Amino acid sequence: MRLIIAANWKMHKTAAATAAFCQALRRDEALFDGVDVLICPPFTSLPAAAAGLQGSAIKIGAQDMHWEKQGAFTGEIATSMLLEYGVSSVIIGHSERRHLMGETDQQVSLKVRAALASGLQPLLCLGETETEREQGKTVAVIERQLSYVFESLAAEDLSNLVVAYEPVWAIGTGKAASVDDAEDAAALIYRLAADRFGAESAKGLRVQYGGSVRVDNIGSYMALPSISGALVGGASLEAVSFSALIQAARKAILH
Ligand code: 13P
């Protein structure tokens, strides 16, 4: 399955910094062959990303969206506004939105449905907190988060859906999940998709790992049978290190 490596910049990079990053990353583009590479800048930097990546195979993602097409939703952004800047994917339900902004499973589900309906590829984030893991609730949390989203999906949607398993305790902590834990979670996601939509449709789904991904650990995740990509925060902020990370991921699946 084709790898998808996405940079989640969170609240980093002005338009000027985005333009400089795009210029630098493009220099290495020939080394990314066979990998879907995606950068997800803040909304205000989307035009700079669109201009900076014109004619490039590197794609652009947004970090969030609203499920309504338009309306009185101060501070929110609609899919049509993202599409206008060549955005092809959108991160939905990131743990920082769930835990810092109070985003609910229902809202995440509405966003995934609306993204797919507008032709955007959702990168659906899910994962347990440290307390939930300690209490042995990891499986139950993933089941709950996924079941809300699955309720509004059809089997054919899976081929345009990416699920990012991001255990909350691994995000920005330097404490990455073990390969066994990452594989268990990804395999569970496939199993739940297969139970609901059938094994054949579940094969269309791609699962990423996210949480303290670095150049020295990305290869071990990419080599796992159920993982075909990564969602990267801190290590995606410098073009040189993000490029090295993509190349390391590619190398891991070539042999
Ligand atoms: P870090 O790679 O900085 O741990 O962040 C992961 C993340 O939240 C990506 O969405």
Side-chain angles (χ1 to χ4, degrees), residues 4 33 115 127 206 218 231:
I4 174 166
D33 195 35
R206 282 191 288 182
I218 191 164
L231 185 54

Side-chain angles (χ1 to χ4, degrees), residues 58-132:
I58 300 166
K59 297 197 171 75
I60 305 168
Q63 296 178 16
D64 191 22
M65 52 164 276
H66 197 274
W67 57 89
E68 292 291 349
K69 289 198 167 73
Q70 58 182 15
F73 303 103
T74 302
E76 294 293 328
I77 197 138
T79 54
S80 59
M81 299 164 190
L82 300 176
L83 289 164
E84 210 173 12
Y85 287 101
V87 168
S88 58
S89 305
V90 56
I91 295 171
I92 294 176
H94 190 276
S95 85
E96 286 145 21
R97 298 217 56 83
R98 292 181 190 259
H99 297 287
L100 302 177
M101 311 294 169
E103 200 165 299
T104 65
D105 287 319
Q106 285 91 341
Q107 290 170 331
V108 169
S109 169
L110 287 167
K111 289 179 182 190
V112 171
R113 176 71 257 145
L116 287 164
S118 71
L120 289 170
Q121 172 186 59
L123 309 187
L124 164 67
C125 300
L126 47 77
E128 79 288 357
T129 63
E130 188 152 41
T131 310
E132 287 164 341

Side-chain angles (χ1 to χ4, degrees), residues 8 10 91 94 96 125 166 170-174 210-214 231-235:
N8 176 11
K10 309 188 181 187
I91 295 171
H94 190 276
E96 286 145 21
C125 300
E166 295 208 310
I171 296 175
T173 58
S212 298
V213 171
R214 299 281 179 269
L231 185 54
V232 188

